[in-house]
Amino acid sequence: MNIHEYQGKAILKEFGAPISAGVPAFTAEEAVAAAKTLPGPVYVVKSQIHAGGRGKGKFKELPDNAKGGVRIAKSIEEVGAFAREMLQNTLVTAQTGPFGKQVNRLYIEDGSDIDKEFYLSMLVDRVTSRVSFVVSTEGGMDIEAVAHDTPEKIISFSVDPATGVMPHHGRTVAKALGLTGDLAKQAKQLTLQLYAAFVAKDMAMLEINPLVVTKGGELRCLDAKINFDSNALYRHADVVKLRDLTEEDEKEIEASKYDLNYIALEGEIGCMVNGAGLAMATMDIIKLYGATPANFLDVGGGATKDKVAAAFKIITSDPNVKGILVNIFGGIMRCDVIAEGVVSAVREVGLKVPLVVRLEGTNVELGKKIIAESKLNVVSADDLDDAAQKIVRAVRKEAA
Ligand code: ADP
Ligand code: MG
């Protein structure tokens, strides 16, 4: 689960990390009122969306030469003017995809006098099964280019969970950032604070980009991007409250109500599969035959007819879906339940695209019978390879 920058900063502040003063705002009036509580004379108006690259982003509704989603304002009036330009408009950044995201919240922050911009992130490294730190002196808005062109400028190390974070980890961070004296001391302290926050809140990723040194000689977290481990949310009611549903894919929210493992993707073939492994294999084979999957969907083992129907409706509600492939290997999941769910969903919402169904395993004959007797326009397939070829061909034919 992701949260907004200002929410992330509030969490880091609880752990003592150095954060600038700032206030969230939902309207231009609130933005002006927020600025009045800050020291000034420079304010930063920051779009709050669940995506990075805001500074270099562009608003769809504004001219090309308009400023991006993070703007420096030199007066309270300018804060108001920027807020009016940004709110309710659509910000497109390198991370939002071409459709962009509507800006509904702003964060009005005290402007920092920046001397240097560093990069610091933490994540759970699956290879070492440890929390890793990634740091670089080359922070700011071009970190992706640094990773690509000069990877040697990025330093990473992991923390042994048995010992937890140690003073030497702090020294490694300070050294990697080329800091000495009081700034090195601040970096060591920040390392301990961020690790404590990361572990206590079950984060999956924490990215501070930029981590800045101010002209006044202070280290400060100027941006904060946090992703939490969804499997641990049950023990963080405070974090769950921060969820902003307007930032999430509607289809994924609907799927989570039915406990379906669904991830929206950008392709044209909707997939309904049981088992994550089979779902991955199905996506692979669709690609092999030259098309792309519109989603990952594992309906799980004990799915009911209603759950299957809900899954089918979610798939058909996606306007990008030009064909649907149902691929079920009935083990615990029975083929007749899948067939009933599909038939009932089609009766309710109709079927405007080709549908290929491949059923195998428990109660397969009954499942096939239910589909045959439904008189729905379904193409049946015998195995995965056959099914994938049939749906890809059907979608091509529709497009032609
Ligand atoms: P994003 O990563 O989405 O572009 P950031 O929060 O990193 O958004 O802001 C982009 C840039 O704006 C930063 O790299 C920094 O140079 C500048 N910036 C952000 N917040 C402040 C601030 N409080 N004071 C001064 N400059 C800031
Ligand atoms: Mg940033």
Side-chain angles (χ1 to χ4, degrees):
M1 188 191 109
N2 292 312
I3 58 173
H4 290 291
E5 172 198 358
Y6 76 93
Q7 298 167 326
K9 284 180 169 172
I11 291 176
L12 298 183
K13 196 174 166 193
E14 282 172 40
F15 290 83
I19 304 298
S20 297
V23 184
F26 291 79
T27 63
E29 292 70 37
E30 281 179 23
V32 168
K36 285 182 182 159
T37 68
L38 299 175
V42 177
Y43 313 89
V44 186
V45 183
K46 310 187 78 172
S47 304
Q48 299 296 292
I49 55 170
H50 286 186
R54 296 163 300 165
K56 286 192 167 176
K58 287 216 175 309
F59 282 96
K60 263 195 176 158
E61 296 83 356
L62 302 183
D64 248 10
N65 59 2
K67 296 192 185 110
V70 174
R71 302 187 191 176
I72 311 283
K74 300 248 164 61
S75 67
I76 304 253
E77 292 70 51
E78 214 172 20
V79 169
F82 287 163
R84 272 186 291 277
E85 270 191 34
M86 292 156 101
L87 281 167
Q88 271 68 58
N89 277 339
T90 316
L91 183 58
V92 182
T93 80
Q95 294 181 16
T96 59
F99 299 114
K101 288 203 153 178
Q102 190 179 47
V103 176
N104 299 314
R105 308 179 187 201
L106 299 173
Y107 186 47
I108 314 302
E109 194 174 60
D110 188 32
S112 286
D113 214 353
I114 302 173
D115 187 23
K116 285 189 204 117
E117 297 200 339
F118 299 140
Y119 177 91
L120 186 154
S121 69
M122 298 170 67
L123 60 135
V124 179
D125 181 347
R126 283 164 192 266
V127 176
T128 58
S129 305
R130 292 175 175 192
V131 173
S132 285
F133 277 82
V134 179
V135 286
S136 175
T137 50
E138 311 301 305
M141 295 193 275
D142 291 314
I143 188 68
E144 284 80 10
V146 177
H148 186 263
D149 304 332
T150 46
E152 69 281 2
K153 290 193 173 155
I154 295 178
I155 288 158
S156 72
F157 62 89
S158 63
V159 177
D160 186 336
T163 63
V165 72
M166 307 276 277
H168 73 84
H169 294 120
R171 286 197 292 276
T172 305
V173 169
K175 187 157 177 259
L177 296 178
L179 299 174
T180 54
D182 188 57
L183 276 168
K185 217 156 136 192
Q186 293 179 43
K188 286 177 216 163
Q189 195 176 20
L190 180 64
T191 306
L192 307 185
Q193 290 162 335
L194 294 181
Y195 186 85
F198 193 95
V199 173
K201 298 289 180 184
D202 284 309
M203 295 179 192
M205 198 211 62
L206 163 62
E207 186 184 60
I208 313 288
N209 184 33
L211 167 68
V212 301
V213 176
T214 65
K215 294 221 168 94
E218 276 177 70
L219 210 54
R220 206 172 284 166
C221 305
L222 230 52
D223 190 5
K225 201 170 169 197
I226 301 181
N227 177 258
F228 296 93
D229 178 350
S230 302
N231 291 317
L233 285 175
Y234 72 93
R235 54 185 184 193
H236 299 290
D238 55 330
V239 169
V240 174
K241 276 202 209 114
L242 303 177
R243 191 168 172 195
D244 179 359
L245 291 175
T246 64
E247 288 287 328
E248 295 178 28
D249 186 293
E250 271 174 45
K251 301 190 290 306
E252 288 180 15
I253 296 170
E254 187 64 18
S256 71
K257 285 188 205 155
Y258 290 91
D259 206 20
L260 293 161
N261 298 309
Y262 173 92
I263 312 273
L265 300 168
E266 268 137 34
E268 69 275 29
I269 296 183
C271 308
M272 181 151 97
V273 191
N274 67 321
L278 188 58
M280 297 297 278
T282 306
M283 291 161 63
D284 278 348
I285 200 160
I286 286 172
K287 287 215 134 181
L288 179 71
Y289 287 111
T292 44
N295 65 279
F296 168 93
L297 171 63
D298 166 15
V299 291
T304 58
K305 177 187 146 195
D306 288 345
K307 196 165 159 178
V308 171
F312 198 83
K313 282 186 227 163
I314 291 166
I315 294 175
T316 52
S317 73
D318 181 349
N320 294 328
V321 167
K322 301 289 182 277
I324 300 170
L325 172 57
V326 174
N327 181 26
I328 301 295
F329 188 85
I332 298 171
M333 184 80 233
R334 293 170 6 225
C335 292
D336 55 314
V337 172
I338 290 282
E340 278 180 2
V342 169
V343 169
S344 130
V346 172
R347 291 246 155 84
E348 201 179 314
V349 297
L351 183 63
K352 293 170 199 85
V353 296
L355 169 64
V356 172
V357 177
R358 179 256 177 159
L359 297 174
E360 194 55 80
T362 309
N363 288 2
V364 60
E365 292 313 326
L366 186 54
K368 284 184 174 167
K369 191 162 157 251
I370 290 167
I371 287 182
E373 285 173 359
S374 74
K375 304 273 185 297
L376 294 179
N377 185 15
V378 176
V379 179
S380 65
D382 297 323
D383 57 38
L384 182 48
D385 201 66
D386 182 42
Q389 291 192 48
K390 278 180 173 154
I391 190 64
V392 172
R393 219 179 298 140
V395 167
R396 292 245 170 84
K397 214 188 302 160
E398 293 273 307

